[in-house]
Amino acid sequence: MSRRCERGSRYALAQVDEGEAWHRADFQTVCAVAAVWRKRGGRGLPTRHDIDPLHFGPGLLPHLMLIEVRSAADYFWRLCGERASFLFGERLAKRTLGELERSAPAVAAWREVLDCTVAKGAPVYFEVDNVTSSGRPMRGAGAMLPLRAPAGEGRQRRIADVLGVLRLAQLSR
């Protein structure tokens, strides 16, 4: 089941049930990343150190994001693939969610997805509709996959990072 969260007339985000996502063709890239994430975690959640870009291959890398959980109040994009950045129309790497919210209020919807991922300690699958700053309508399928804090980093943060994946397609007008 999808839940649509309207964020202005140019942006909408909906959570998608994990089982539904694994059976939809538009989530093929997302599920390929999630399969690698699951394999690297074994029986539990992987850490950022368990994830190596070589595990994904060049076809998936442009769709990936590595987001550090700074606090309950903010997130920091360590890395962001060029295709994932395209949704926002600007580079995300080395920027915080708080900073992005000031320049693009629609980004607030991402806080909901990230907060849910961290709180659940489980993947959150979603679809997004957006109109880029140049007026191109886009549809995307994505997931936020939690990465646990490595052993020895204390227990104050169970989820230290989030591996994001976003696959966009341009819609015809």
Side-chain angles (χ1 to χ4, degrees):
M1 295 297 246
S2 297
R3 182 178 64 82
R4 188 146 306 276
C5 305
E6 293 299 329
R7 291 289 176 205
S9 60
R10 297 168 57 95
Y11 193 88
L13 185 76
Q15 192 167 336
V16 175
D17 179 74
E18 183 174 1
E20 178 186 340
W22 281 83
H23 290 95
R24 286 179 41 181
D26 56 333
F27 276 84
Q28 184 176 6
T29 297
V30 174
C31 292
V33 170
V36 172
W37 171 83
R38 286 185 192 283
K39 183 178 180 183
R40 302 313 307 168
R43 291 185 163 201
L45 295 176
T47 68
R48 179 169 30 107
H49 305 293
D50 294 328
I51 302 295
D52 183 329
L54 296 175
H55 297 144
F56 298 102
L60 297 177
L61 288 177
H63 305 282
L64 296 180
M65 300 174 271
L66 181 59
I67 305 162
E68 179 183 327
V69 179
R70 287 266 169 106
S71 67
D74 215 355
Y75 300 91
F76 178 76
W77 267 261
R78 288 184 158 280
L79 303 168
C80 189
E82 62 195 42
R83 296 297 299 156
S85 287
F86 187 68
L87 176 69
F88 296 94
E90 56 186 289
R91 288 211 167 282
L92 299 178
K94 309 297 183 203
R95 297 182 70 190
T96 65
L97 183 60
E99 178 185 343
L100 292 165
E101 284 174 320
R102 286 189 292 279
S103 64
V107 174
W110 292 96
R111 181 176 300 285
E112 292 178 37
V113 175
L114 287 163
D115 287 348
C116 185
T117 303
V118 171
K120 287 175 34 177
V124 173
Y125 293 79
F126 60 89
E127 54 191 4
V128 61
D129 291 332
N130 184 52
V131 177
T132 66
S133 57
S134 63
R136 287 183 274 189
M138 304 293 288
R139 174 161 290 151
M144 294 294 176
L145 310 166
L147 299 169
R148 69 177 166 79
E153 284 194 12
R155 284 292 185 199
Q156 67 272 28
R157 291 185 308 158
R158 188 171 91 88
I159 304 301
D161 300 283
V162 175
L163 177 65
V165 56
L166 181 61
R167 171 71 170 93
L168 291 170
Q170 185 168 343
L171 298 174
S172 57
R173 294 182 186 216

